[in-house]
Amino acid sequence: MAVQRTFSILKPDVTRRNLTGAVNAKIEAAGLRIVAQRRIHMTLSQAQAFYAVHKDRPFFGELVEMMTAAPVVVQVLEGENAVQAYRDVLGATNPANAAPGTIRKDFALSMGENSAHGSDSAENAAVEIGQFFAASDIVG
Ligand code: CMP
């Protein structure tokens, strides 16, 4: 598998508890390089657009509210098989089901406040990266 990029968001539960360095340490220990990173306060329209695929789900309102309640850190991660490698170190969406040592097992608070987002495919990663970064922001 070639070198690939994926998109990551460190969520408000991470920034609020001052855990961005702790999560980044796990990302780097998994062999992923942080090739772009920016701390932002996501707007309502950015959050609604980012999670548009979930707009009919019962948790959509809660999700958008949570993602805009405090700063987040948006990132581009690069490495061998980066999409799957990041999902492996993230752990299951529900932290109760996450494997030991994963980001969500160690840090997540709940299904909603689950510490970080990772793209689910290379195609979606490219779309998601484009929502927050210009090509010139990414320095590999
Ligand atoms: P994420 O990987 O960012 O993708 C969609 C997000 O929706 C997910 O992580 C969770 O934060 C949130 N989510 C998924 N399922 C639920 C749920 N049942 N209740 C609340 N939030 C959820």
Side-chain angles (χ1 to χ4, degrees), residues 37 39 41 43 47 49 64 69 71 73 106-107 114 117 126-129:
Q37 177 169 253
R39 182 175 170 110
H41 200 132
T43 64
V64 165
V73 178
D106 288 359
F107 302 122
N114 63 353
H117 164 85
V127 171
E128 292 173 1
I129 289 168

Side-chain angles (χ1 to χ4, degrees), residues 2 4 7 9 17 35 52 56 70-71 77 83 86 90 105 111 126:
Q4 198 179 46
F7 180 70
I9 305 177
R17 291 178 293 158
V35 295
D56 297 325
L77 309 181
V83 169
Y86 189 40
L90 270 179
K105 182 66 175 183
M111 184 92 127

Side-chain angles (χ1 to χ4, degrees), residues 64-114:
V64 165
E65 189 179 333
M66 181 271 290
M67 291 299 287
T68 55
V72 299
V73 178
V74 289
Q75 303 175 310
V76 180
L77 309 181
E78 186 177 89
E80 286 286 321
N81 200 14
V83 169
Q84 189 58 49
Y86 189 40
R87 291 180 75 81
D88 289 347
V89 72
L90 270 179
T93 303
N94 184 345
N97 301 327
T102 59
I103 290 167
R104 286 170 173 160
K105 182 66 175 183
D106 288 359
F107 302 122
L109 300 175
S110 65
M111 184 92 127
E113 292 192 298
N114 63 353

Side-chain angles (χ1 to χ4, degrees), residues 11-95:
K11 297 187 179 185
D13 71 272
V14 165
T15 61
R16 200 180 275 132
R17 291 178 293 158
N18 210 20
L19 291 172
T20 61
V23 176
N24 279 349
K26 281 194 184 283
I27 289 171
E28 291 181 335
L32 294 161
R33 305 179 75 83
I34 302 165
V35 295
Q37 177 169 253
R38 196 166 70 246
R39 182 175 170 110
I40 61 169
H41 200 132
M42 212 182 262
T43 64
L44 195 61
S45 58
Q46 277 178 314
Q48 286 169 338
F50 184 76
Y51 282 120
V53 68
H54 296 304
K55 68 178 174 1
D56 297 325
R57 307 284 285 273
F59 57 82
F60 181 69
E62 177 192 322
L63 176 60
V64 165
E65 189 179 333
M66 181 271 290
M67 291 299 287
T68 55
V72 299
V73 178
V74 289
Q75 303 175 310
V76 180
L77 309 181
E78 186 177 89
E80 286 286 321
N81 200 14
V83 169
Q84 189 58 49
Y86 189 40
R87 291 180 75 81
D88 289 347
V89 72
L90 270 179
T93 303
N94 184 345

